[in-house]
């Protein structure tokens, strides 16, 4: 196997000139043998020979450094070329060997195999039904290229065999196809693609067609690029819409969770408010009861104070009786003593009543403080409930 650097320069130049001058539909004429390794130029050239066997729309392009795809293209090219040789030319060659070497050819490591395919393309151009079109184009190549083309065709025709077993086909001589000037070949060489034009007009027409093809290819490339850009922009827009939709769903779900939590909090605070209201009501009732008890104790203390004052009066009277004339009635003295004893007994209860009064007053103060605390707590709860109701209303509006 040989690389492109190992192929003689005139040989590579002749091959490139062959594709550049003979075929008009090649989108990118090869400038070196490496440009043929993907099979695109050869397939486009063969499509001019037989569109039925070589449909350019079914062929891949623009593979970059991917040698595997190039090899797939080359295998398809060899397979279609074999069908063309069998169906149209009734000829055969070692196509299986070429197909097995497609990977190395695609990598640029087997230029001999690439040249064998190119040589079969050259033979196809000189043997096909439209050879009266392609042979004159070949004859317009440079003298050096013409000489090498003769050698190539002579060597290749020696390897091409008849396909139909027992047929009368013999081996064609490359000289008789291209360069002998018998009567038939004179007619062939005299035929041109556009018979009404001379050689100069033919060359001009060819250049115009090639320029038009290049313009069409550039326009196609531009349209493909624009379509790719639009596709990328559409993809970006779709991604933005997807992200926006996802964000809206997330925000809505978050609002629903907040609304549910707010409803639960409102329910909890409502129960707490009811409990606090009931507790305040109970405390108010207790405060009222203690106030009544306090009034009763105050009344008792007042009565005891009055009795204590009376005891003091009776005591003074008793002292006066004792110092006065002893002729007074003993019975009256006993009555005074009895009253004094009752008053002293009642007077002994005063400290306990005072303690009870102090305790009642302390309880009343504590109850008043608790009532005030519950009232403040109730106000706080009402404020929180109002805030939660407002948040819930805002969440409902946001959900709509």
């Amino acid at each position: 196997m040989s690389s492109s650097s190992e192929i003689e320069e005139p040989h590579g130049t002749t091959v490139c000139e062959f594709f550049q001058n003979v075929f008009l539909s090649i989108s990118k004429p090869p400038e070196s043998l490496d440009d043929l390794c993907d099979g695109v130029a050869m397939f486009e050239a063969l499509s001019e020979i037989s569109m039925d066997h070589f449909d350019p729309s079914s062929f891949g392009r623009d593979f970059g450094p991917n040698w595997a795809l190039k090899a797939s293209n080359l295998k398809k090219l060899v397979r279609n070329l074999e069908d063309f040789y069998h169906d149209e030319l009734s000829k055969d060659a070692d196509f299986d060997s070429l197909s097995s070497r497609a990977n190395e050819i695609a990598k640029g490591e087997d230029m001999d195999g690439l040249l064998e395919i190119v040589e079969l393309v050259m033979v196809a151009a000189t043997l096909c039904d439209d050879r009266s079109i392609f042979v004159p184009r070949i004859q317009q190549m440079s003298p050096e290229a013409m000489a090498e083309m003769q050698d190539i065709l002579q060597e290749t025709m020696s390897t091409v065999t008849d396909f139909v077993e027992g047929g009368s086909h013999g081996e064609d001589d490359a000289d008789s196809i291209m360069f002998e000037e018998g009567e038939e070949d004179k007619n062939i060489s005299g035929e041109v693609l556009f018979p009404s034009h001379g050689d100069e007009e033919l060359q001009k027409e060819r250049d115009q067609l090639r320029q038009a093809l290049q313009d069409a290819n550039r326009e196609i490339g531009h349209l493909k690029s624009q379509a790719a850009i639009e596709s990328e922009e559409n993809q970006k827009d779709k991604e933005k819409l997807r992200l926006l939709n996802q964000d809206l769903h997330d925000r809505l779900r978050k609002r629903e969770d907040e609304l549910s939590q707010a409803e639960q909090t409102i329910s909890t605070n409502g129960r707490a408010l009811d409990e606090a209201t009931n507790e305040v009501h109970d405390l108010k009732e207790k405060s009222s009861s203690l106030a009544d008890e306090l009034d009763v104790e105050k009344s008792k203390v007042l009565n005891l104070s009055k009795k204590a004052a009376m005891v003091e009066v009776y005591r003074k009277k008793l002292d006066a009786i004792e110092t006065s004339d002893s002729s007074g009635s003993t019975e009256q003295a006993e009555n005074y003593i009895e009253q004094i004893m009752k008053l002293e007994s009642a007077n002994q209860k005063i400290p306990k009543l005072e303690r009870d009064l102090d305790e009642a007053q302390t309880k009343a103060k504590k109850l008043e403080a608790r009532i005030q605390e519950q009232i403040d707590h109730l106000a706080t709860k009402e404020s929180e409930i109002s805030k939660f109701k407002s948040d819930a209303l805002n969440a409902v509006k946001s959900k709509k």
Side-chain angles (χ1 to χ4, degrees), residues 315-325:
R315 183 172 290 172
K316 289 180 179 180
K317 287 183 178 181
L318 184 58
D319 291 339
I321 290 172
E322 289 178 352
T323 56
S324 64
D325 189 17

Side-chain angles (χ1 to χ4, degrees), residues 383-399:
S383 176
E384 291 179 356
I385 289 172
S386 176
K387 182 178 180 302
F388 281 120
K389 285 182 178 179
S390 176
D391 291 342
L393 183 60
N394 291 333
V396 170
K397 291 181 179 179
S398 175
K399 184 176 180 181

